[in-house]
């Protein structure tokens, strides 16, 4: 008897699993968010429910799972109404037919940091309501570097004076050689290098690849010089870089706001500086923008749009989101309120230099080939020009642009 | 004997009640599925119920009661994923082709656009006692009033006798009363589906506060299987899962389509896949073979030492030596990646202070391969040690005594007695270990990510890439995720491993026959 019962329970569980648990239901707003945003959204959702009598369900998923599950759950009718994620997801999600454009943003564009709207624009439509921007900059230890460098020459001078590997002290560390293409981007842009060019309509052209442009090659030489001059050991990875910085033996590091929480916890007197200029031109980082997106398979599109327009795109909500996760607001009225804080001002200055990370699905090919090129450059297996040309050719072939 | 009979009766009754209830619930669910036209779940449900009844009611099916609880998980967890994987290999499933054709057609048919200078309307919503909706629209261009009691929008006069005013505002129309903003918000789900007609125009909700004249962007012609762009008149026909115009313009998103052997054809004819294939294959084979040989050699050596009854504290040693097995592989691999760091790793620091040289782990192709093999040795020897410890116990001590009497030395005893007898029981495990390491994605991916890259070679494959990590890069390192392509390669890998394993087992069997004659 027990056996049958167990079997029945098993069958029941199996059938039960088929049923949607987190699905978009008419009349209930379902939101998928990661652990940094789910708690505050649940709180905001309750406020919305109290005002309009519409239940809001917030489900917490690991950051990467939000996209990975959406692509499977949404077409099966089990996806959410709204997701929160970075703008570089949109290329793939739109190609998959999973995102709904957000028309009201056309009229409210000027309330957001302009480049954040640009990041969520695809074709002629806007597919996400931006709420935070992030870009990398120079984080420095005020004890070791009283005055942050304005130019790259100054940075190298400060770094050379401080660096003493025997004593375990470093002036400037970056995990670019790891390889980390994302963090190497400012070096490439300093001389006008780029990843994808724009076509006549102002849309990214996946066949105009600038990884082997003159500027990108000159930038790669800068990276190589960091290694050959002994300033940055080739084995520096993110863990080593932040670990040493938090021990107080590193003058400057090149990274983003995500490192700050640990630095604060370690009690390092840190400051954030704008990326230095190289021969008068700025080093421009990648800009990441996070925002709210509406699923094309939502059963509550109009309600979701209303929620975003009337409830999320407001100063109070944006400030509450900032309190929960202090990264720079993309909503100008909220940004103005917090811009007196030195960190916010410094990150905003870096973000203002930023170029939105390309959102096209072809970036997967770029990251891989670009990373390989950096590795070959820093291990001095290949000269920067050869490595980058090979990488660019390889990307063209992968994307099918030959 | 009344008591057992009674128990049997109760058991039988219980069975009938439980089965009857299950069937009743099943039939109830089936009716629901039938009415919602979910054919696939319905078929599964009916088949499941049929099998359940057959197994529990038929005398002939009695043995199935014991086998079925095992077979069901097997079918779900093993057979289904394999069959699914194989079927995916013949489709274009991946980024840009994730939806079904019906979903894609619905996607395009539901696309509307606001024409240049589209007429916009403010609106008020009304509801009567039965819950029927009425919409009163005011054109923002001319201020004309329109009323919609059904799907048709009719012009009305502001002085219409049905309107009840309260100041400037119309608060009631006939039996309908005006809805508050809060009520309208709750009705948004319904309003978003409302599509009003006014002559040729379609009027739909744009935002909480507005309706506007929309035009449909696409129309699907079912008979000719073409999608027509209503703005330009261009016709798109489906080509391998993507709507394509005669000039080659394509529409996103595409749908999942059966593409036959296209993926396999792509693999064979694409020089970027086949070019590094043999290079990667050679290293994969070497990697799997060396991993097995090295872990087995170390594991066996330690097992023989630990098996020595004169060794003191051997329980302590054994516990310590099994430790790498107890730590999750993920963590060990990450720790090793740190230990082998070229500049900051402990291994190189020690080497530098002792002999003054450092090893370019993970920066140089050869040393990266040595590195991954070393880490895999660390991860894999405890398993081999445990297995060998067990197998050593099964070798009769008399054989060794006889050998000693015959004057065989330690070395001869190992090669002539221990190893052949051990291999009988361990060889199948070695074959299994080979197949496991052949596809040991974790170690390669977490430790080197397949790197370092091969200088000058325009390929995704790095110096330590094995077939499975290379497949991963091919499938996810181009433009988005190409599951169809990845499944096709994994099928090919499956064939390779299958062949190697079959040959290995044949060899093993011969080994057994040989030792059988010993």
């Amino acid at each position: 008897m027990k056996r049958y019962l167990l079997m029945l329970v098993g069958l029941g569980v199996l059938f039960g699993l088929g049923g949607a648990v987190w699905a978009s239901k008419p009349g209930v707003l379902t939101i998928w968010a990661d652990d940094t945003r789910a708690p505050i959204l649940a709180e905001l959702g309750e406020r919305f429910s109290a005002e309009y009598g519409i239940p809001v369900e917030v489900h917490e998923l690991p950051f990467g799972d939000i996209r990975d599950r959406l692509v499977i759950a949404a077409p099966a009718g089990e996806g959410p109404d709204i997701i929160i994620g970075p703008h570089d997801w949109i290329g793939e999600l739109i190609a998959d037919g999973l995102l709904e454009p957000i028309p009201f943003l056309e009229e409210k564009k000027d309330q957001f940091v302009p480049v954040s709207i640009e990041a969520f624009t695809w074709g002629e439509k806007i597919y996400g309501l931006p709420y935070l921007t992030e870009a990398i900059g120079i984080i420095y230890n005020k004890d070791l570097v009283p005055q942050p460098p304005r130019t790259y020459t100054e940075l190298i001078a400060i770094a050379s004076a401080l660096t003493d590997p025997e004593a375990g002290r470093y002036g400037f560390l970056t995990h670019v050689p790891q390889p980390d293409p994302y963090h190497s981007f400012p070096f490439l842009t300093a001389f006008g290098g780029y990843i994808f060019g724009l076509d006549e309509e102002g849309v990214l052209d996946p066949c105009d690849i600038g990884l082997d442009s003159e500027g990108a090659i000159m930038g790669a030489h800068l990276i190589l010089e960091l290694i050959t001059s002994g300033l940055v050991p080739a084995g520096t990875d993110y863990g080593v870089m932040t670990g040493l910085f938090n021990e107080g033996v590193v003058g400057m590091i090149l990274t983003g706001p995500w490192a700050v929480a640990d630095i604060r916890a370690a009690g390092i007197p840190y400051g954030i500086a704008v990326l230095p200029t190289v021969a008068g031109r700025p080093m421009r980082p990648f800009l990441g923008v996070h925002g709210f997106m509406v699923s094309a398979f939502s059963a509550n599109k109009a309600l979701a749009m209303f929620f975003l327009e009337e409830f999320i795109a407001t100063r109070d909500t944006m400030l509450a989101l900032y309190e929960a996760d202090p990264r720079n607001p993309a909503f100008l009225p909220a940004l103005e309120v917090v811009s007196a804080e030195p960190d916010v001002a410094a990150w905003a200055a870096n973000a203002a230099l930023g170029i939105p990370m390309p959102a096209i699905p072809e970036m997967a090919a770029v990251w891989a080939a670009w990373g390989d090129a950096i590795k070959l450059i820093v291990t001095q297996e290949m000269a920067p020009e050869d490595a980058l040309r090979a990488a660019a050719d390889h990307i063209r072939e992968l994307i099918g642009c030959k | 004997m009344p008591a057992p009979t009674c128990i049997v009766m109760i058991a039988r009754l219980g069975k009938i009640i439980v089965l009857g209830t299950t069937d009743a619930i099943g039939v109830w669910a089936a009716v629901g599925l039938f009415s919602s036209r979910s054919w696939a779940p319905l078929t599964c449900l009916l088949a499941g119920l049929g099998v359940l009844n057959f197994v529990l009611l038929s005398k002939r099916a009695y043995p199935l009661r014991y086998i079925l609880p095992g077979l069901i998980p097997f079918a779900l967890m093993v057979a289904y994923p394999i069959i699914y994987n194989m079927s995916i290999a013949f489709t274009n499933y991946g980024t840009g082709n994730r939806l079904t054709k019906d979903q894609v057609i619905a996607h395009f048919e539901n696309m509307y656009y606001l024409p240049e200078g589209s007429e916009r309307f403010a609106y008020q919503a009304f509801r009567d006692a039965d819950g029927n909706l009425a919409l009163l629209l005011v054109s923002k261009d001319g201020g004309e009033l329109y009323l919609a009691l059904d799907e048709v929008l009719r012009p009305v006069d502001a002085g219409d006798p049905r309107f009840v005013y309260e100041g400037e505002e119309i608060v009631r129309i006939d039996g309908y009363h005006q809805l508050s903003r809060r009520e309208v918000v709750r009705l948004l789900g319904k309003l978003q589906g409302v599509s009003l007609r006014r002559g040729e125009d379609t009027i739909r909700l744009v935002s909480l506060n507005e309706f506007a004249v929309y035009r449909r962007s696409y129309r699907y012609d079912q008979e000719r299987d073409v999608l027509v762009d209503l703005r330009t008149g261009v016709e798109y026909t489906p080509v391998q899962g993507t709507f394509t115009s005669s000039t080659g313009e394509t529409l996103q998103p595409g749908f999942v389509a059966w593409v036959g052997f296209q993926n396999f054809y792509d693999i064979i004819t694409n020089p970027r896949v086949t070019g590094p294939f043999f290079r990667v294959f050679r290293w994969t084979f070497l990697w799997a073979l060396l991993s097995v040989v090295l872990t087995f050699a170390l594991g066996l050596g330690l097992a023989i030492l630990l098996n020595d009854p004169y060794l003191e504290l051997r329980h302590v040693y054994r516990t310590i030596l099994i430790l790498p097995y107890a730590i999750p592989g993920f963590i060990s691999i990450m720790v090793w990646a740190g230990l082998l760091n070229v500049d900051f790793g402990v291994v190189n620091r020690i080497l530098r202070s002792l002999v003054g040289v450092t090893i370019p782990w993970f920066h140089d192709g050869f040393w990266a391969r040595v590195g991954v093999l070393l880490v895999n040795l660390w991860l894999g020897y405890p398993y081999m040690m445990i297995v060998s410890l067990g197998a050593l116990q099964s070798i009769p001590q008399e054989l060794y005594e006889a050998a000693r009497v015959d004057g065989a030395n330690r070395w001869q005893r190992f090669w002539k007695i221990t190893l052949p007898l051990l291999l009988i029981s361990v060889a199948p495990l070695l074959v299994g270990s080979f197949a496991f390491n052949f596809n040991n994605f974790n170690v390669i991916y977490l430790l080197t990510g397949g790197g370092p890259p091969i200088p000058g070679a325009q390929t995704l494959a790095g110096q330590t890439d094995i077939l499975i990590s290379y497949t991963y890069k091919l499938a996810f390192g181009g433009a988005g995720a190409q599951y169809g392509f990845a499944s096709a390669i994994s099928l090919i890998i499956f064939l390779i491993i299958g062949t190697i394993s079959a040959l290995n087992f044949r060899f093993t069997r011969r080994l057994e026959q040989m030792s059988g004659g010993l």
Side-chain angles (χ1 to χ4, degrees):
Chain A
M1 209 61 237
K2 211 172 172 184
R3 219 168 39 232
Y4 307 139
L5 274 177
L6 278 178
M7 219 168 98
L8 283 175
V9 170
L11 277 174
V13 168
L14 286 173
F15 282 120
L17 279 180
V21 192
W22 291 355
S24 161
K25 301 179 273 282
V28 181
L29 267 185
T30 309
I31 302 174
W32 286 3
D34 69 8
D35 56 345
T36 57
R37 298 169 263 225
I40 180 69
L41 278 168
E43 238 179 88
L44 291 168
E46 269 171 38
R47 249 186 264 168
F48 182 77
S49 300
E51 208 172 323
Y52 294 102
I54 290 160
V56 178
E57 286 181 7
V58 179
H59 295 289
E60 184 182 317
L61 277 86
F63 183 67
D65 282 12
I66 294 177
R67 172 177 58 174
D68 295 348
R69 288 207 200 166
L70 180 81
V71 298
I72 295 169
E78 292 170 18
D81 298 305
I82 296 172
I83 61 163
I84 294 159
H87 78 273
D88 59 316
W89 287 358
I90 64 169
E92 194 181 329
L93 294 179
I94 293 168
D96 289 339
L98 299 179
L99 287 191
E100 191 69 15
I102 305 178
F104 75 81
L105 283 173
E106 303 288 346
E107 287 154 27
K108 297 204 167 174
K109 267 183 195 177
D110 48 354
Q111 296 187 11
F112 294 87
V113 176
V115 75
S116 72
I117 290 282
E118 187 190 319
F120 271 110
T121 304
W122 187 266
E124 292 161 356
K125 293 172 179 164
I126 304 170
Y127 283 87
L129 182 132
Y131 95 90
L132 72 78
T133 63
E134 59 185 15
I136 56 173
I138 300 285
I139 303 180
Y140 62 98
N141 183 332
K142 286 181 172 165
D143 286 349
L144 300 176
V145 183
Q147 185 65 37
R150 297 251 182 95
T151 67
Y152 193 74
T153 324
E154 279 175 40
L155 182 138
I156 295 296
I158 297 172
S160 306
L162 275 175
T163 302
D164 181 3
E166 293 306 311
R169 205 175 60 226
Y170 298 90
F172 171 66
L173 282 186
T174 166
H175 62 297
V176 166
Q178 206 36 33
D180 191 306
Y182 176 85
H183 283 81
S184 78
F185 189 63
F187 292 93
L188 267 67
T189 49
F191 297 101
Y194 59 96
I195 301 303
F196 291 117
L198 300 176
D199 63 15
E200 307 92 62
E201 291 163 28
V203 180
L204 285 178
D205 177 2
C207 287
D208 177 7
I209 290 153
L211 206 52
D212 55 350
S213 60
E214 207 53 42
I217 291 169
M218 287 167 78
H221 275 284
L222 280 190
I223 296 173
L224 179 59
E225 276 160 25
L226 281 176
I227 309 290
T228 51
S229 64
L231 288 179
V232 177
T236 311
D237 58 27
Y238 182 77
V240 167
M241 176 183 78
T242 50
L244 290 175
F245 188 85
N246 294 349
E247 281 172 27
V249 295
V250 180
M252 298 167 282
I253 57 175
L254 172 69
T255 190
W258 44 86
V260 170
D262 285 347
I263 294 172
R264 257 186 220 159
I268 303 293
Y270 74 97
I272 296 153
V274 181
L275 288 171
T277 54
V278 181
R281 296 177 69 158
M283 295 175 90
R284 305 183 64 183
F286 268 138
L287 181 81
V289 183
H290 289 226
F292 294 75
M293 294 165 254
V294 177
S295 164
F297 284 86
S298 158
N300 306 296
K301 285 176 199 165
L303 189 59
M305 299 293 172
F306 171 75
F307 176 74
L308 296 185
E309 182 172 6
E310 301 282 314
F311 198 73
I312 296 297
T314 62
R315 205 185 64 163
D316 290 349
T317 302
M318 290 293 186
L319 284 175
L321 284 166
Y322 172 79
E323 291 297 323
D325 175 21
R327 285 185 274 181
N328 278 15
F331 190 62
L332 290 171
L335 183 61
E336 272 161 29
V337 176
V338 294
S339 59
E341 293 174 32
D343 282 14
V344 172
W347 289 128
N350 279 306
L353 292 172
I355 296 169
M357 205 170 3
I360 53 182
E362 282 82 0
M363 271 310 275
V366 176
W367 292 126
W370 185 5
D372 279 358
I374 293 173
K375 191 87 191 175
L376 290 169
I377 292 167
V378 298
T379 53
Q380 295 169 51
E381 297 267 359
M382 280 177 97
E385 36 275 59
D386 298 336
L388 286 177
R389 271 185 203 128
D393 281 344
H394 184 212
I395 295 166
R396 284 183 195 110
E397 205 184 302
L398 279 178
I399 298 178
C401 288
K402 261 194 166 170
Chain B
M1 295 210 280
T5 322
C6 180
I7 292 173
V8 168
M9 287 287 286
I10 292 173
R12 204 164 279 170
L13 194 71
K15 178 170 111 179
I16 290 168
I17 292 174
V18 172
L19 190 63
T21 321
T22 316
D23 283 353
I25 295 173
V27 169
W28 171 75
V31 171
L33 288 174
F34 182 79
S35 61
S36 68
R37 293 165 187 282
S38 328
W39 303 125
L42 181 67
T43 319
C44 290
L45 180 73
L46 290 181
L49 278 182
V51 169
L52 190 72
N53 280 296
F54 174 68
V55 168
L56 292 183
L57 297 178
S58 163
K59 279 249 149 57
R60 279 216 332 268
Y62 200 85
L64 274 181
R65 294 185 189 191
Y66 299 92
I67 301 172
L68 213 57
L71 277 182
I72 291 173
F74 170 79
L76 283 174
M77 314 287 181
V78 181
Y80 176 70
I82 291 175
I83 294 168
Y84 185 70
N85 185 0
M86 284 166 72
S87 66
I88 289 285
F90 297 94
T91 69
N92 60 355
Y93 185 67
T95 297
N97 298 80
R98 280 187 197 272
L99 306 181
T100 64
K101 190 174 177 184
D102 288 343
Q103 282 176 323
V104 170
I105 291 168
H107 174 93
F108 288 115
E109 291 228 293
N110 285 330
M111 271 172 84
Y112 291 85
Y113 67 98
L114 280 167
E116 199 76 22
S118 157
E119 191 179 355
R120 291 178 179 239
F121 306 87
Y123 75 97
Q124 287 177 302
F126 298 82
R127 190 162 53 184
D128 71 3
D130 300 330
N132 296 317
L133 280 181
L135 292 168
L136 186 69
L137 275 67
V138 188
S139 171
K140 288 193 167 174
D141 296 341
E144 295 96 352
L145 268 184
Y146 295 93
L147 182 66
L149 294 170
D150 47 26
E151 285 184 351
V152 182
L153 200 59
R154 294 187 180 83
V156 282
D157 194 61
D160 195 291
R162 284 175 292 177
F163 294 165
V164 178
Y165 281 87
E166 206 163 87
E168 289 283 291
E169 215 178 346
I170 299 168
V171 288
R172 258 183 293 128
I173 307 173
D174 252 353
Y176 296 86
H177 67 274
Q178 196 194 355
L179 296 177
S180 69
R181 181 180 164 84
R182 193 182 141 106
E183 284 171 309
V184 172
V185 170
R186 300 191 64 172
L187 268 179
L188 273 175
K190 211 169 190 180
L191 289 176
Q192 73 180 357
V194 170
S195 176
L196 304 169
R197 275 180 288 118
R198 188 189 64 181
E200 297 279 285
D201 293 336
T202 308
I203 293 153
R204 292 165 60 91
L205 191 71
V206 213
S207 70
L208 180 70
N209 307 312
E210 268 186 336
F211 271 78
V213 174
Y214 269 85
R215 298 250 166 80
R216 259 173 85 179
S217 304
Y218 297 93
R219 189 175 55 82
Y220 177 65
D221 186 337
Q222 197 155 13
E223 270 165 39
R224 293 167 49 228
D225 193 22
V226 290
L227 195 66
V228 186
D229 185 331
L230 293 171
R231 265 184 284 190
T232 58
V234 176
E235 294 190 342
Y236 296 86
T237 39
V239 178
Q240 290 214 333
T242 307
F243 280 104
T244 313
S245 75
S246 55
T247 55
E249 298 265 315
T250 57
L251 292 178
Q252 277 185 338
F255 53 90
V256 180
W258 192 259
V259 294
F261 283 91
Q262 185 67 38
N263 288 324
F264 295 92
Y265 180 78
D266 284 349
I267 293 167
I268 295 163
T269 55
N270 190 340
R272 132 181 112 77
V273 179
T274 48
F277 185 87
F278 288 101
R279 184 196 171 103
V280 173
F281 178 72
R282 211 165 54 223
W283 161 242
T284 310
F285 194 85
L286 197 67
W287 149 260
L289 190 73
L290 283 176
S291 291
V292 173
V293 170
L294 291 175
T295 51
F296 181 60
L298 183 62
L300 177 61
L302 290 171
I304 289 172
L305 283 179
L306 289 176
N307 210 30
D308 191 331
Y310 301 110
L311 183 71
E312 289 210 34
L313 292 174
R314 58 192 177 128
H315 295 293
V316 178
Y317 292 135
R318 191 155 61 196
T319 313
I320 293 172
L321 285 169
I322 289 175
L323 269 183
Y325 202 42
I327 302 167
F330 259 97
I331 295 171
S332 300
I333 296 169
M334 301 310 255
V335 169
W336 272 102
L339 292 178
L340 295 178
N341 186 300
V342 177
D343 296 294
F344 301 97
V346 175
V347 175
N348 268 2
R349 279 194 192 179
I350 293 172
L351 282 177
R352 186 157 43 211
S353 58
L354 287 183
V355 287
V357 288
T358 58
I359 293 173
W361 306 105
F362 308 146
H363 281 192
D364 174 87
F366 173 75
W367 286 108
R369 290 178 171 195
V370 173
V372 287
L373 277 170
L374 270 181
V375 174
N376 206 26
L377 175 61
W378 164 268
L379 292 170
Y381 85 82
Y383 171 74
M384 292 297 183
M385 188 181 81
I386 294 167
V387 166
S388 303
L389 271 173
L392 282 176
Q393 304 293 328
S394 66
I395 300 173
Q397 286 301 310
E398 304 89 76
L399 288 177
Y400 291 108
E401 274 164 37
R404 224 172 276 145
V405 171
D406 285 347
N409 62 25
R410 230 168 218 282
W411 201 237
Q412 284 166 323
R413 290 200 301 264
F414 173 77
W415 285 106
K416 303 284 182 191
I417 301 173
T418 313
L419 197 62
L421 287 175
L422 200 73
L423 277 180
I424 297 172
S425 51
V426 177
L429 297 174
L430 296 185
V431 175
S433 170
F434 180 87
F436 172 78
N437 281 306
F438 202 89
N439 275 339
N440 199 336
F441 180 80
N442 284 0
V443 172
I444 301 293
Y445 189 76
L446 291 177
L447 213 52
T448 64
I454 305 164
Q458 287 185 17
T459 165
L460 290 168
Q463 312 245 30
T464 56
D465 257 323
I466 55 175
L467 279 175
I468 194 74
S469 63
Y470 180 48
T471 305
Y472 180 83
K473 285 183 177 179
L474 282 174
F476 303 105
Q482 297 165 283
Y483 293 106
F485 191 74
S487 297
I489 302 185
S490 62
L491 259 184
I492 293 177
I493 295 181
F494 169 73
L495 287 180
I496 294 172
I497 299 180
T499 314
I500 294 174
S501 298
L503 289 174
N504 264 331
F505 274 115
R506 177 168 289 184
F507 171 74
T508 315
R509 210 171 303 139
R510 199 171 302 153
L511 205 83
E512 266 173 60
Q513 281 161 0
M514 263 162 47
S515 53
L518 193 97

